[in-house]
Amino acid sequence: MSLAYRSAVRMGSCVAVAAAAACAQQTTASSGGRMETAVAGGRVDVPVAGRVTLEQVRRGRLLVITHACAGCHGGGDNPANPNWLSGARTPQDEFVIGPFKTRPRNITPDNVTGIGRFSMRQIFNALRYGLRPGETPDVEITSMVPGQGNFPSQPKYLAPPMPWPEWRHMSDQELWDIAAYLKHGVKPVAHRVADSEGPPDFWAGAYADTALVGPYPARPFPTANEEFRP
Amino acid sequence: MMPRFWLLLTLGASAASADAVVTPAAAPFRPSTAPRPPRTVEFNLTAAPARLSIVPGTTTDVFAYNGIVPGPTIEVREGDSVVVHFTNKLDVETTVHWHGLHLPFTSDGSPYHPVAPGETYDYVFKPRPGSAGTYWYHPHPHHATANQVVRGLYGAVIVRAADDPLPAALPEKVLILSDNRLRPDGSFDLPERASHQGRVDFENGREGDLLLVNGQVMPTIRIRSGEIQRWRIINASAARVYRLAIPGHTFTHVGTDGGLFERPVEVEEIMIAGAERVEVLVRGTGAPGDRAAMQTLGYDRYIPQTRPADWDRPRNVLALEYTREAPMKPVRIPETLRHVPALDPAQATATRVMSLSQGMINGKLHDMSRVDVHARLGATEIWEVENLVGMDHPFHLHGFQFQVLERNGVPEPFRAWKDMVNVPKHETAKFIVRYENHTGKWMFHCHILDHEDHGMMGVLEVTE
């Protein structure tokens, strides 16, 4: 992996620092070996198409704004911006990372040029696991081991710098809220963004490097670097 | 009662043992065109291991139908009652899928009717009037189609009309295109799935630098100056798309998957995606003694990450050699070929949206026990096939041929019967289909064989 890429990932991670810190969550493994993210105080509100609530869409909207999705995907901090989330428009919107070129794609719910044909589960899996929604089945994933628990045996990852540190440790509820907003809170915009010229998926697997990105769920508190200091 | 005939195909060694060395492409370029009334025709077809020489000086352990690669050309007429007595002498499960033919579910050769090693199976069908065209047969076992086709199991089916509008005087050739990759010792290069090449093959579909026509490398077709030849071309490659051109020549495009168009179309090049067929007239416009080559030009069907570095290099497919005979007077080609009855979109009772992504349809992998589309026998429906990703996917529906209405919103310029539609990266195709005559479970899938095996497939169930 090139140095250029490492630094790009680190830069990307800065965006997520606030998220990780703000997220008072606890992860547990249930008896079936299934991973579960428990959010203090309640049930996870999994959105169902046709019954998505305005409240959930608003929660997702706030997360999208505060986590700067539109810094790359179009529109900055302003949902009123005409380019809101509809993807790269100029060469300046592209990232060149070593030999690779990443073009932030249209994440409005347009059926062909955006994410309209992907289920909220596929968007959830993209944010949690970095799996490309168009190339990962619409199924619940319960393991991080390729070939087990519906984790694809040949995982297909998003082009860097998406998505590892930024989203993977958010709570299930937060990820579902983002998926609900993207699918049910944004007008579809037909705008085709050329595909990224990122690494082939089988190279991108290297980005799951635990030393760089860390496992999901995160290692239990405290690690050697941490202590509880009341 | 129709008289019963036995047409036992004896092209090549019909009972090839693994030790037999058979020159590939014993199948001739030219099928018989003699007219005759419909009748019952029976064929014996056996899939078995064989040893052939594909590259001179080496031998390759292949899978072969009746000992030859491609398998024998099965030639029938509209209205014939066809029975193919199939025997599986491989040590693996297989089927014979009759690609493009309208036939009973039990004769479709889909993964629902596997034939175990040592078993036999009768495929029974009756090509209906209007279905004259070029079809092909190949295995379609669950998760193992690519491997068996690549090893040599494919062959042509020609359905002839009683009243073919093209002059019978045109010399006719069946050209089955395939490609392969051999190791220096002649064995197939079939890498482990987890290797780098295995993953590239999985992503792109397996391609090879060895381009074969009827199992031969760069064969020669002889043509007389002024002569017009009728070529039926089948793409039996696992994934390669051909953009064929003969420098200095044009093609008269007369037909596609399900037979002739209404009118011929003059083209400079012709694209044949996976499993598609074309019928073209090649005009001998050169002088006696001239030589030319049919080439396949580069076509970018790939995602950038796994696009071969030399994807746009033209490659020679076959040599065209003019005889020294004096030029002949060209045969006249009719301006109208036949009537292709239109399916009427106003009759459509449903629109099915199929979203193709890399390896999936509508976000799902294939499941034999799941039905993805339920439909009624006799219904007319529209399918909109959207490609969400940056690689072409050739889409195939079993059992029922369809008519393409639009590609990317552009109306199809001429009406034709198809069973394949290539959906280029990020484009859409819309077709109309009527589920006639046969109930059953019909697969629809990407015809990049590695994608199909991976599960880029769904099931249409047609019920009374």
Side-chain angles (χ1 to χ4, degrees), chain A residues 56-128:
Chain A
Q56 180 159 38
V57 164
R58 284 193 166 137
R59 288 200 306 263
R61 178 181 192 255
L62 190 61
L63 288 164
V64 166
I65 295 171
T66 54
H67 292 77
C69 300
C72 300
H73 287 280
D77 295 340
N78 180 10
N81 186 301
N83 292 341
W84 185 242
L85 302 177
S86 59
R89 301 249 168 200
T90 68
Q92 286 70 47
D93 296 338
E94 299 170 348
F95 296 86
V96 176
I97 304 169
F100 310 127
K101 190 176 278 182
T102 296
R103 301 184 180 93
R105 62 171 296 172
N106 177 353
I107 55 171
T108 72
D110 183 65
N111 281 341
V112 176
T113 64
I115 59 166
R117 290 296 184 205
F118 305 138
S119 69
M120 284 184 276
R121 170 81 62 189
Q122 285 171 302
I123 296 168
F124 179 99
N125 288 342
L127 295 169
R128 169 75 78 224

Coordinates of all heavy atoms in Angstrom, one line a residue, chain A residues 56-128:
Chain A
Q56 N -37.2 9.9 11.9 CA -36.0 9.1 11.5 C -35.2 9.8 10.4 O -34.0 9.9 10.4 CB -36.4 7.7 11.1 CG -35.1 6.8 10.7 CD -35.4 5.4 10.8 OE1 -36.5 4.9 10.4 NE2 -34.4 4.6 11.3
V57 N -35.9 10.3 9.4 CA -35.3 11.0 8.3 C -34.6 12.2 8.8 O -33.4 12.6 8.4 CB -36.4 11.4 7.2 CG1 -35.8 12.4 6.3 CG2 -36.8 10.1 6.5
R58 N -35.2 12.9 9.8 CA -34.5 14.1 10.4 C -33.3 13.7 11.1 O -32.3 14.5 11.1 CB -35.5 14.9 11.3 CG -36.5 15.7 10.5 CD -37.3 16.6 11.4 NE -38.0 17.6 10.6 CZ -39.2 18.0 10.9 NH1 -39.9 17.5 11.9 NH2 -39.8 18.9 10.1
R59 N -33.3 12.7 11.9 CA -32.1 12.2 12.6 C -31.0 11.9 11.5 O -29.8 12.3 11.7 CB -32.4 10.9 13.4 CG -33.2 11.1 14.6 CD -33.1 10.0 15.6 NE -33.4 8.7 15.0 CZ -34.5 8.0 15.1 NH1 -35.5 8.5 15.8 NH2 -34.7 6.8 14.6
G60 N -31.4 11.2 10.5 CA -30.4 10.8 9.5 C -29.8 12.1 8.8 O -28.6 12.2 8.5
R61 N -30.7 13.1 8.6 CA -30.2 14.3 7.9 C -29.2 15.0 8.8 O -28.1 15.5 8.3 CB -31.4 15.2 7.7 CG -31.2 16.5 7.1 CD -32.5 17.3 7.0 NE -32.4 18.5 6.2 CZ -32.3 19.7 6.7 NH1 -32.4 19.9 8.0 NH2 -32.3 20.8 5.9
L62 N -29.4 15.0 10.1 CA -28.5 15.7 11.0 C -27.1 15.0 10.9 O -26.1 15.6 10.9 CB -29.0 15.7 12.4 CG -28.3 16.6 13.4 CD1 -28.3 18.1 12.9 CD2 -28.9 16.5 14.8
L63 N -27.2 13.7 10.9 CA -25.9 12.9 10.8 C -25.2 13.2 9.5 O -23.9 13.3 9.5 CB -26.2 11.4 11.0 CG -26.6 11.0 12.4 CD1 -27.2 9.6 12.4 CD2 -25.4 11.0 13.3
V64 N -25.9 13.2 8.4 CA -25.3 13.5 7.1 C -24.6 14.9 7.1 O -23.5 15.1 6.6 CB -26.3 13.3 6.0 CG1 -25.8 13.9 4.7 CG2 -26.7 11.8 5.8
I65 N -25.3 15.9 7.7 CA -24.8 17.2 7.7 C -23.5 17.3 8.6 O -22.5 17.7 8.3 CB -25.8 18.2 8.2 CG1 -27.0 18.3 7.2 CG2 -25.2 19.6 8.4 CD1 -28.2 19.1 7.7
T66 N -23.7 16.7 9.8 CA -22.6 16.8 10.8 C -21.4 16.0 10.4 O -20.3 16.2 10.9 CB -23.0 16.4 12.2 OG1 -23.6 15.1 12.2 CG2 -24.0 17.4 12.8
H67 N -21.6 15.0 9.6 CA -20.4 14.1 9.2 C -19.9 14.4 7.8 O -19.1 13.6 7.3 CB -20.8 12.6 9.4 CG -21.0 12.3 10.8 ND1 -22.1 12.6 11.5 CD2 -20.2 11.7 11.7 CE1 -22.0 12.2 12.7 NE2 -20.9 11.6 12.9
A68 N -20.3 15.5 7.3 CA -19.7 16.1 6.1 C -19.8 15.2 4.9 O -18.9 15.2 4.1 CB -18.2 16.5 6.4
C69 N -20.8 14.4 4.8 CA -21.0 13.5 3.6 C -20.9 14.4 2.3 O -20.2 14.0 1.3 CB -22.3 12.8 3.6 SG -22.6 11.8 5.0
A70 N -21.5 15.5 2.4 CA -21.7 16.4 1.2 C -20.4 17.1 0.9 O -20.3 17.7 -0.1 CB -22.8 17.3 1.4
G71 N -19.4 17.1 1.8 CA -18.1 17.7 1.6 C -17.5 17.1 0.3 O -16.9 17.8 -0.5
C72 N -17.7 15.8 0.1 CA -17.3 15.2 -1.1 C -18.4 14.9 -2.1 O -18.2 15.0 -3.3 CB -16.6 13.8 -0.8 SG -15.2 14.0 0.3
H73 N -19.6 14.5 -1.6 CA -20.6 14.0 -2.5 C -21.5 15.2 -3.0 O -22.4 14.9 -3.8 CB -21.5 13.0 -1.7 CG -20.9 11.7 -1.5 ND1 -20.8 10.8 -2.5 CD2 -20.3 11.1 -0.5 CE1 -20.2 9.7 -2.1 NE2 -19.8 9.9 -0.8
G74 N -21.1 16.4 -2.7 CA -21.8 17.6 -3.3 C -22.7 18.3 -2.4 O -23.6 17.7 -1.8
G75 N -22.4 19.6 -2.3 CA -23.4 20.5 -1.5 C -22.8 21.1 -0.2 O -23.5 21.8 0.4
G76 N -21.6 20.6 0.2 CA -21.0 21.2 1.4 C -21.8 20.9 2.6 O -22.3 19.8 2.9
D77 N -22.1 22.0 3.4 CA -22.9 21.8 4.6 C -24.3 22.1 4.4 O -25.1 22.2 5.4 CB -22.3 22.7 5.7 CG -20.9 22.3 6.1 OD1 -20.5 21.2 5.8 OD2 -20.2 23.2 6.7
N78 N -24.7 22.4 3.2 CA -26.0 23.1 3.0 C -27.0 22.2 2.1 O -26.8 22.1 0.9 CB -25.7 24.4 2.2 CG -27.0 25.1 1.9 OD1 -28.1 24.8 2.4 ND2 -26.9 26.2 1.1
P79 N -28.0 21.6 2.8 CA -28.9 20.8 2.1 C -29.7 21.6 1.0 O -30.3 21.0 0.1 CB -29.9 20.3 3.1 CG -29.1 20.5 4.4 CD -28.2 21.7 4.2
A80 N -29.6 22.9 1.0 CA -30.3 23.7 0.0 C -29.4 23.9 -1.3 O -29.9 24.4 -2.3 CB -30.7 25.1 0.5
N81 N -28.2 23.5 -1.2 CA -27.3 23.6 -2.3 C -27.8 22.7 -3.5 O -28.2 21.6 -3.3 CB -25.9 23.1 -1.9 CG -24.8 23.4 -3.0 OD1 -25.0 22.8 -4.1 ND2 -23.8 24.1 -2.7
P82 N -27.9 23.3 -4.7 CA -28.4 22.5 -5.8 C -27.7 21.2 -6.1 O -28.2 20.3 -6.7 CB -28.4 23.4 -7.0 CG -27.5 24.6 -6.6 CD -27.5 24.6 -5.1
N83 N -26.4 21.1 -5.7 CA -25.6 19.9 -5.9 C -25.7 18.9 -4.8 O -25.0 17.9 -4.8 CB -24.2 20.2 -6.2 CG -24.0 21.0 -7.4 OD1 -24.9 21.0 -8.3 ND2 -22.9 21.7 -7.6
W84 N -26.6 19.1 -3.9 CA -26.7 18.3 -2.6 C -26.7 16.8 -2.9 O -27.6 16.2 -3.5 CB -28.0 18.7 -1.9 CG -28.1 18.0 -0.5 CD1 -29.1 17.2 -0.1 CD2 -27.3 18.2 0.6 NE1 -29.0 16.8 1.2 CE2 -27.9 17.4 1.7 CE3 -26.1 18.9 0.9 CZ2 -27.3 17.3 2.9 CZ3 -25.6 18.9 2.2 CH2 -26.2 18.1 3.2
L85 N -25.5 16.2 -2.5 CA -25.4 14.7 -2.5 C -25.4 14.1 -3.9 O -25.4 12.8 -4.0 CB -26.4 14.0 -1.6 CG -26.4 14.5 -0.2 CD1 -27.5 13.8 0.6 CD2 -25.0 14.2 0.5
S86 N -25.4 14.9 -5.0 CA -25.5 14.2 -6.3 C -24.2 13.9 -7.0 O -24.2 13.6 -8.1 CB -26.4 15.1 -7.2 OG -25.8 16.4 -7.3
G87 N -23.1 14.0 -6.2 CA -21.9 13.4 -6.7 C -20.9 14.4 -7.4 O -21.3 15.6 -7.6
A88 N -19.8 13.9 -7.8 CA -18.7 14.7 -8.4 C -19.2 15.4 -9.7 O -20.0 14.8 -10.5 CB -17.5 13.9 -8.7
R89 N -18.9 16.7 -9.8 CA -19.3 17.4 -11.0 C -18.1 17.9 -11.8 O -18.2 18.2 -13.0 CB -20.1 18.7 -10.6 CG -21.3 18.3 -9.8 CD -22.6 18.6 -10.6 NE -23.7 18.0 -9.9 CZ -24.9 17.7 -10.5 NH1 -25.0 18.0 -11.8 NH2 -25.9 17.2 -9.9
T90 N -17.0 18.1 -11.2 CA -15.8 18.6 -11.9 C -14.6 17.8 -11.5 O -14.6 17.1 -10.5 CB -15.5 20.1 -11.5 OG1 -15.1 20.1 -10.1 CG2 -16.7 21.0 -11.6
P91 N -13.5 17.9 -12.3 CA -12.3 17.1 -11.9 C -11.8 17.5 -10.5 O -11.1 16.7 -9.9 CB -11.3 17.5 -13.0 CG -12.2 17.9 -14.2 CD -13.4 18.5 -13.6
Q92 N -12.1 18.7 -10.1 CA -11.6 19.1 -8.8 C -12.3 18.3 -7.7 O -11.9 18.2 -6.5 CB -11.9 20.6 -8.5 CG -11.0 21.6 -9.2 CD -11.2 21.6 -10.7 OE1 -12.4 21.7 -11.2 NE2 -10.2 21.5 -11.5
D93 N -13.5 17.7 -8.0 CA -14.2 16.9 -7.0 C -13.6 15.5 -6.9 O -14.1 14.7 -6.1 CB -15.7 16.8 -7.4 CG -16.4 18.1 -7.4 OD1 -15.9 19.0 -6.7 OD2 -17.4 18.2 -8.1
E94 N -12.6 15.1 -7.7 CA -12.1 13.8 -7.7 C -10.9 13.7 -6.8 O -10.2 14.7 -6.6 CB -11.6 13.4 -9.1 CG -12.8 13.4 -10.1 CD -12.3 13.2 -11.6 OE1 -11.1 13.3 -11.8 OE2 -13.1 13.0 -12.4
F95 N -10.7 12.6 -6.2 CA -9.5 12.3 -5.4 C -8.5 11.5 -6.2 O -8.9 10.5 -6.7 CB -9.8 11.5 -4.2 CG -10.8 12.2 -3.2 CD1 -12.1 12.1 -3.4 CD2 -10.3 12.9 -2.1 CE1 -13.0 12.7 -2.5 CE2 -11.1 13.5 -1.3 CZ -12.5 13.4 -1.4
V96 N -7.3 11.9 -6.2 CA -6.2 11.1 -6.8 C -5.4 10.5 -5.6 O -4.8 11.3 -4.9 CB -5.4 11.9 -7.8 CG1 -4.2 11.0 -8.3 CG2 -6.2 12.4 -8.9
I97 N -5.4 9.2 -5.5 CA -4.7 8.6 -4.4 C -3.8 7.6 -5.1 O -4.2 6.5 -5.5 CB -5.7 7.8 -3.5 CG1 -6.8 8.8 -3.0 CG2 -5.0 7.2 -2.4 CD1 -8.0 8.1 -2.3
G98 N -2.5 8.0 -5.1 CA -1.5 7.2 -5.8 C -2.0 6.9 -7.2 O -2.4 7.9 -7.9
P99 N -2.0 5.7 -7.7 CA -2.4 5.4 -9.1 C -4.0 5.4 -9.2 O -4.5 5.2 -10.3 CB -1.9 4.0 -9.3 CG -1.8 3.4 -8.0 CD -1.6 4.5 -7.0
F100 N -4.7 5.6 -8.2 CA -6.1 5.5 -8.2 C -6.8 6.8 -8.3 O -6.3 7.8 -7.8 CB -6.6 4.7 -7.0 CG -5.9 3.4 -6.8 CD1 -5.3 3.1 -5.6 CD2 -5.7 2.5 -7.8 CE1 -4.6 1.9 -5.4 CE2 -5.0 1.3 -7.6 CZ -4.4 1.0 -6.4
K101 N -8.0 6.7 -8.8 CA -8.8 7.9 -8.9 C -10.2 7.6 -8.3 O -10.9 6.7 -8.8 CB -8.9 8.4 -10.3 CG -9.6 9.8 -10.5 CD -9.5 10.3 -11.9 CE -8.2 10.9 -12.3 NZ -8.2 11.3 -13.7
T102 N -10.6 8.4 -7.3 CA -11.9 8.1 -6.7 C -12.9 9.3 -7.1 O -12.5 10.4 -6.9 CB -11.8 8.0 -5.2 OG1 -11.0 6.9 -4.9 CG2 -13.2 7.9 -4.5
R103 N -14.0 8.9 -7.6 CA -15.0 10.0 -7.9 C -16.2 9.8 -7.0 O -16.9 8.8 -7.1 CB -15.4 9.8 -9.4 CG -14.3 10.0 -10.3 CD -14.8 10.0 -11.8 NE -13.6 10.1 -12.7 CZ -13.0 9.1 -13.2 NH1 -13.3 7.8 -12.9 NH2 -11.9 9.3 -14.0
P104 N -16.5 10.8 -6.1 CA -17.6 10.6 -5.2 C -18.9 10.4 -6.0 O -19.2 11.2 -6.9 CB -17.6 11.9 -4.4 CG -16.2 12.4 -4.5 CD -15.7 12.0 -5.9
R105 N -19.6 9.4 -5.7 CA -20.7 9.1 -6.5 C -22.0 9.8 -6.1 O -22.1 10.4 -5.0 CB -20.9 7.6 -6.8 CG -21.2 6.8 -5.6 CD -21.6 5.4 -6.1 NE -22.9 5.4 -6.9 CZ -23.3 4.4 -7.6 NH1 -22.7 3.3 -7.6 NH2 -24.5 4.5 -8.2
N106 N -23.0 9.7 -6.9 CA -24.3 10.3 -6.7 C -25.0 9.4 -5.6 O -25.3 8.3 -5.9 CB -25.1 10.3 -8.0 CG -26.5 10.8 -7.9 OD1 -27.0 11.0 -6.8 ND2 -27.1 11.0 -9.0
I107 N -25.3 10.0 -4.4 CA -25.9 9.2 -3.4 C -27.4 9.7 -3.2 O -27.9 9.5 -2.1 CB -25.1 9.1 -2.1 CG1 -24.8 10.5 -1.6 CG2 -23.8 8.3 -2.3 CD1 -24.2 10.5 -0.1
T108 N -27.9 10.4 -4.2 CA -29.4 10.6 -4.1 C -30.1 9.4 -4.6 O -29.5 8.5 -5.3 CB -29.8 11.8 -5.0 OG1 -29.7 11.4 -6.4 CG2 -28.9 13.0 -4.8
P109 N -31.4 9.2 -4.3 CA -32.1 8.0 -4.6 C -32.5 7.8 -6.1 O -33.6 7.2 -6.4 CB -33.2 7.9 -3.7 CG -33.5 9.4 -3.4 CD -32.2 10.1 -3.5
D110 N -31.8 8.4 -7.0 CA -32.1 8.1 -8.4 C -31.9 6.6 -8.7 O -30.9 6.0 -8.3 CB -31.2 9.0 -9.4 CG -31.6 8.8 -10.8 OD1 -32.7 9.1 -11.2 OD2 -30.8 8.2 -11.6
N111 N -32.8 6.0 -9.5 CA -32.7 4.6 -9.7 C -31.5 4.1 -10.5 O -31.1 3.0 -10.2 CB -34.0 4.1 -10.4 CG -35.2 4.0 -9.4 OD1 -35.0 4.0 -8.2 ND2 -36.4 4.0 -9.9
V112 N -31.1 4.9 -11.4 CA -30.0 4.4 -12.3 C -28.7 5.0 -12.0 O -27.7 4.3 -11.9 CB -30.4 4.5 -13.8 CG1 -29.2 4.1 -14.7 CG2 -31.6 3.7 -14.1
T113 N -28.7 6.3 -11.7 CA -27.4 7.0 -11.5 C -27.1 7.1 -10.0 O -25.9 7.5 -9.7 CB -27.4 8.4 -12.2 OG1 -28.3 9.2 -11.5 CG2 -27.7 8.3 -13.6
G114 N -28.0 6.9 -9.2 CA -27.8 7.1 -7.7 C -28.0 5.8 -7.0 O -27.6 4.7 -7.5
I115 N -28.5 5.8 -5.8 CA -28.6 4.6 -4.9 C -30.1 4.1 -4.8 O -30.4 3.4 -3.9 CB -28.0 4.9 -3.5 CG1 -28.8 6.1 -2.9 CG2 -26.6 5.3 -3.6 CD1 -28.5 6.2 -1.4
G116 N -30.9 4.6 -5.7 CA -32.3 4.3 -5.6 C -32.6 2.8 -5.6 O -33.6 2.3 -5.0
R117 N -31.8 2.0 -6.3 CA -32.1 0.6 -6.4 C -31.5 -0.2 -5.3 O -31.6 -1.4 -5.3 CB -31.6 0.0 -7.8 CG -32.3 0.5 -9.0 CD -33.8 0.0 -9.0 NE -34.4 0.4 -10.2 CZ -35.7 0.6 -10.3 NH1 -36.5 0.4 -9.3 NH2 -36.3 1.0 -11.4
F118 N -30.7 0.4 -4.4 CA -30.1 -0.3 -3.3 C -31.0 -0.2 -2.1 O -31.7 0.8 -1.9 CB -28.7 0.3 -3.0 CG -27.8 0.3 -4.2 CD1 -27.0 1.4 -4.4 CD2 -27.8 -0.7 -5.1 CE1 -26.1 1.5 -5.5 CE2 -26.9 -0.7 -6.2 CZ -26.1 0.4 -6.4
S119 N -31.1 -1.3 -1.4 CA -32.0 -1.4 -0.2 C -31.3 -0.6 0.9 O -30.1 -0.4 0.9 CB -32.2 -2.8 0.2 OG -31.0 -3.4 0.7
M120 N -32.1 -0.3 1.9 CA -31.5 0.4 3.1 C -30.5 -0.6 3.7 O -29.5 -0.2 4.3 CB -32.6 0.8 4.0 CG -33.3 2.1 3.5 SD -34.5 2.8 4.6 CE -35.9 1.8 4.1
R121 N -30.8 -1.9 3.7 CA -29.8 -2.9 4.2 C -28.5 -2.8 3.5 O -27.4 -2.9 4.1 CB -30.4 -4.3 4.1 CG -29.5 -5.4 4.4 CD -29.3 -5.7 5.8 NE -30.6 -6.1 6.5 CZ -30.7 -6.2 7.8 NH1 -29.7 -6.0 8.6 NH2 -31.9 -6.6 8.3
Q122 N -28.5 -2.7 2.1 CA -27.3 -2.6 1.4 C -26.5 -1.3 1.7 O -25.3 -1.3 1.8 CB -27.6 -2.7 -0.1 CG -27.9 -4.1 -0.6 CD -28.4 -4.1 -2.0 OE1 -29.4 -3.5 -2.3 NE2 -27.8 -4.9 -2.9
I123 N -27.2 -0.2 2.0 CA -26.6 1.0 2.4 C -26.0 0.9 3.8 O -24.8 1.3 4.0 CB -27.6 2.2 2.3 CG1 -28.0 2.4 0.8 CG2 -26.9 3.5 2.8 CD1 -29.2 3.3 0.7
F124 N -26.7 0.3 4.6 CA -26.2 0.0 6.0 C -24.9 -0.8 5.9 O -23.9 -0.5 6.5 CB -27.3 -0.8 6.8 CG -26.9 -1.2 8.2 CD1 -27.4 -0.5 9.2 CD2 -26.1 -2.3 8.4 CE1 -27.0 -0.8 10.5 CE2 -25.8 -2.7 9.7 CZ -26.2 -2.0 10.8
N125 N -24.9 -1.9 5.1 CA -23.7 -2.7 5.0 C -22.6 -2.0 4.4 O -21.4 -2.3 4.7 CB -24.1 -4.0 4.2 CG -24.9 -5.0 4.9 OD1 -25.1 -4.9 6.2 ND2 -25.6 -5.9 4.2
A126 N -22.9 -1.0 3.5 CA -21.8 -0.2 2.9 C -21.1 0.6 4.0 O -19.9 0.7 4.1 CB -22.4 0.7 1.8
L127 N -22.0 1.2 4.9 CA -21.4 2.1 5.9 C -20.7 1.3 7.0 O -19.7 1.8 7.5 CB -22.6 3.0 6.5 CG -23.2 3.9 5.4 CD1 -24.5 4.5 6.0 CD2 -22.2 5.0 5.0
R128 N -21.3 0.2 7.3 CA -20.7 -0.6 8.4 C -19.5 -1.3 8.0 O -18.5 -1.4 8.7 CB -21.8 -1.6 9.0 CG -21.2 -2.6 9.9 CD -20.9 -2.1 11.3 NE -22.1 -1.9 12.1 CZ -22.4 -0.8 12.9 NH1 -21.5 0.2 12.9 NH2 -23.5 -0.7 13.5

